[in-house]
Amino acid sequence: MNFAIVGCGFIAKKHSQAIKNIEDAKLVAVCDQVPELMQPYVEEHDATPYTDIEEMLRNESIDIVNICTPSGSHAILAELAAKYGKHVIVEKPIAMTLEETDRIIGATQAQNVKLAVVHPNRFRPAAMKLKEVLQQNLLGKISHALCIVNWNRGQDYYDQAPWRGTKEYDGGVLMNQAIHNLDLLLWYMGAPEEVFSMEATRFRDIEAEDVSTGIIRFQSGALATVQASTTVYPRNYEESITIFGEKGTVKIGGANALHFETLNLQDMSDQLIETTIDQVRSNPWGKSGHEEIIADMIEAIREDRLPAITGEEGRKAVELVLAFYESAKLNKSVKMTERNDSNDNDQNKITKFTRKVEC
């Protein structure tokens, strides 16, 4: 199937490499308003460059459009792609507001095209093994969980582009960095019921938060603590998820949540535990999550089924982040069923930004 990439910044490189690695995939077009950013894809993939997205979308040979632009521009671009009958793969987060998210989901459903959201951490070997542990009920009843992302993103990272660190188009550490881990937490723990959060902008000269701490009560009754920051000196310190159950304790951790730091399970033999730890250690990254998601989209189209990570799945993580933001703003706990998405953006602002900065 033929792919097009919209937005040729850093993350587009992962998409293009994943497409290159898949036998049944070909990158045929790229779109960006900065021609020099498209040149590497023209040279390596023989992709046709476009500075006008609608001109690109009129290319009937394109099957799937990968949206790799700033988060605040995802909605208008996904809607356009769907309008032209293209299947859509959108980078995380799916959008910055629930209104935008629902527009994307609605547009793809109305045009009967597939929608997949890029949450690649689900495909890491340790993350998948922890999911198996939970599905097999090896932890028993869950007491609580810890979700930690203590990373370094210097001021130079935010100064790369004017949209970075803004509330409207990028978000802070929760929406941009920790959303991967929040997606995993929801995948493991189920639906949240209530949240409380505090946040601050301590070190970075940005509009959004660079440090956040929150608490979640899930519908199951289990609790979780979330700690996220981009203020750690001098490099990434920890990315981890720990789950405590009545029959076990499991922690996947390290600087990038790639290894089992703890795997204690009442109903798993010591030998099997050691084997599992060693298997993950021997190949901690596994196959690229982007490659898994793109290959799954191809199969989903051929089999006429839902992709592995749907728009609705992507929506859950955005809703949780927005609930944290609302709680921090109001300085009180927020029930998920009662919250107000006060961060919704005005459509004209999205369109104006999209036309100015990205295809």
Side-chain angles (χ1 to χ4, degrees), residues 128-339:
M128 290 191 292
K129 182 57 67 174
L130 177 49
K131 181 66 172 179
E132 288 180 19
V133 166
L134 289 163
Q135 288 174 329
Q136 295 169 14
N137 198 33
L138 292 175
L139 283 172
K141 184 178 181 180
I142 304 302
S143 165
H144 64 293
L146 303 175
C147 178
I148 297 174
V149 182
N150 279 320
W151 279 359
N152 171 276
R153 294 292 184 271
Q155 190 61 44
D156 56 342
Y157 167 84
Y158 294 103
D159 291 342
Q160 292 177 63
W163 55 267
R164 287 189 181 273
T166 63
K167 291 183 178 180
E168 194 167 5
Y169 302 113
D170 186 33
V173 63
L174 285 178
M175 189 68 86
N176 195 2
Q177 282 82 26
I179 197 164
H180 286 305
N181 308 80
L182 294 177
D183 170 69
L184 286 179
L185 191 65
L186 294 172
W187 195 40
Y188 295 147
M189 301 288 287
E193 181 177 90
E194 184 178 8
V195 306
F196 180 79
S197 179
M198 290 185 178
E199 63 184 48
T201 307
R202 296 291 294 162
F203 296 164
R204 310 305 175 218
D205 184 17
I206 58 175
E207 182 183 15
E209 82 287 353
D210 61 13
V211 60
S212 174
T213 298
I215 302 169
I216 305 170
R217 184 190 305 277
F218 291 91
Q219 290 181 6
S220 66
L223 304 178
T225 301
V226 176
Q227 182 184 102
S229 70
T230 55
T231 58
V232 176
Y233 178 84
R235 63 186 64 87
N236 289 358
Y237 177 74
E238 181 180 8
E239 177 188 359
S240 66
I241 290 181
T242 310
I243 301 180
F244 301 89
E246 60 182 338
K247 298 193 295 182
T249 301
V250 180
K251 178 181 181 179
I252 53 175
N256 296 101
L258 294 175
H259 305 282
F260 282 110
E261 292 192 355
T262 302
L263 185 58
N264 294 325
L265 297 169
Q266 175 182 297
D267 296 330
M268 182 180 285
S269 69
D270 291 344
Q271 182 177 356
L272 183 54
I273 286 174
E274 288 301 317
T275 299
T276 301
I277 292 172
D278 290 342
Q279 285 176 342
V280 170
R281 186 184 293 121
S282 68
N283 185 25
W285 290 98
K287 184 186 288 187
S288 158
H290 284 78
E291 188 174 335
E292 295 274 15
I293 289 166
I294 291 170
D296 175 77
M297 172 63 97
I298 293 173
E299 293 305 311
I301 294 168
R302 288 177 173 164
E303 298 170 7
D304 193 23
R305 60 166 173 80
L306 292 174
I309 305 176
T310 62
E312 287 80 4
E313 285 292 289
R315 188 185 194 277
K316 294 176 183 177
V318 171
E319 184 176 21
L320 180 58
V321 171
L322 293 177
F324 275 135
Y325 285 162
E326 184 176 347
S327 174
K329 180 179 179 180
L330 299 175
N331 192 31
K332 67 177 186 179
S333 66
V334 171
K335 291 186 180 297
M336 300 298 292
T337 55
E338 300 174 359
R339 62 168 302 276

